[in-house]
Amino acid sequence: FLKGLPDAQELFEAGVKGEAPLSAPPDSEAARRAVSPGEADLLGWRPFPGVSIPGRTNWRVVRKLGEGGFGEAWLVEQPKSKRKSVYKFCFDPTHLASLKREVTLLRALNDNPAAEGRIAKVLDWSMDTPPHFLELQYYEEGSLVTYVETIGGMIKLTLIRRMEFLAQ
């Protein structure tokens, strides 16, 4: 709530994008966070380049890869081994069930030998304590979307190649 206004106003993160960590503004006399007690921990931490992941301090966030219906995907790396993974974070408690379903679905698909090399492997997940995430195998080649953008769009693919992608 902002001082002098009767209703809560949405405030997101404050900082200088690319130069300083973006974070929720602190509570003060002029403004305070309007979240339920259960949401406070979930909403507190956000990824940004260079930060470690709570509970997984051996991983550093590299860059944002995208966002979707229930959260954000980030490239992360272990500094010593240079091993990379993709972390899909869920910051909205109402979407946590979707992340859990995705873990279940991907694990079932990963168990199919025909999926080898076609579907990112589920490496780990955290659903009990925030930040909630799904860790996936990272492919240097990127995603299908990146590939299609690189070649100049789907129109550049032959009909046969498009059908192959659909079948896979």
Side-chain angles (χ1 to χ4, degrees), residues 143-157 165:
S143 68
L144 177 59
V145 172
T146 304
Y147 169 72
V148 169
E149 288 172 353
T150 302
I151 64 167
M154 286 293 273
I155 196 72
K156 299 288 184 173
L157 293 173
F165 278 130

Side-chain angles (χ1 to χ4, degrees), residues 53-133:
I53 300 166
R56 302 194 48 102
T57 55
N58 57 334
W59 289 94
R60 295 282 182 265
V61 176
V62 177
R63 65 182 163 89
K64 188 174 183 178
L65 298 172
E67 55 190 274
F70 62 78
E72 302 172 353
W74 288 78
L75 176 63
V76 300
E77 180 180 64
Q78 288 182 330
K80 289 183 182 178
S81 69
K82 302 296 182 200
R83 190 175 136 234
K84 296 177 182 174
S85 286
V86 173
Y87 276 50
K88 291 180 85 173
F89 293 103
C90 176
F91 303 114
D92 184 339
T94 63
H95 294 135
L96 190 55
S98 296
L99 184 66
K100 290 177 180 179
R101 280 192 298 276
E102 184 168 345
V103 170
T104 302
L105 176 63
L106 286 173
R107 289 185 67 213
L109 290 170
N110 287 165
D111 287 343
N112 181 346
E116 185 65 35
R118 296 180 183 191
I119 298 173
K121 290 187 185 299
V122 175
L123 303 174
D124 200 2
W125 61 88
S126 173
M127 302 296 166
D128 297 328
T129 58
H132 303 292
F133 65 83

Side-chain angles (χ1 to χ4, degrees), residues 2-3 15 41 51 69 74 85 102 104-105 108 134 166 168:
L2 294 176
K3 187 176 181 180
D41 289 337
V51 71
W74 288 78
S85 286
E102 184 168 345
T104 302
L105 176 63
L134 164 59
L166 180 63
Q168 291 176 2

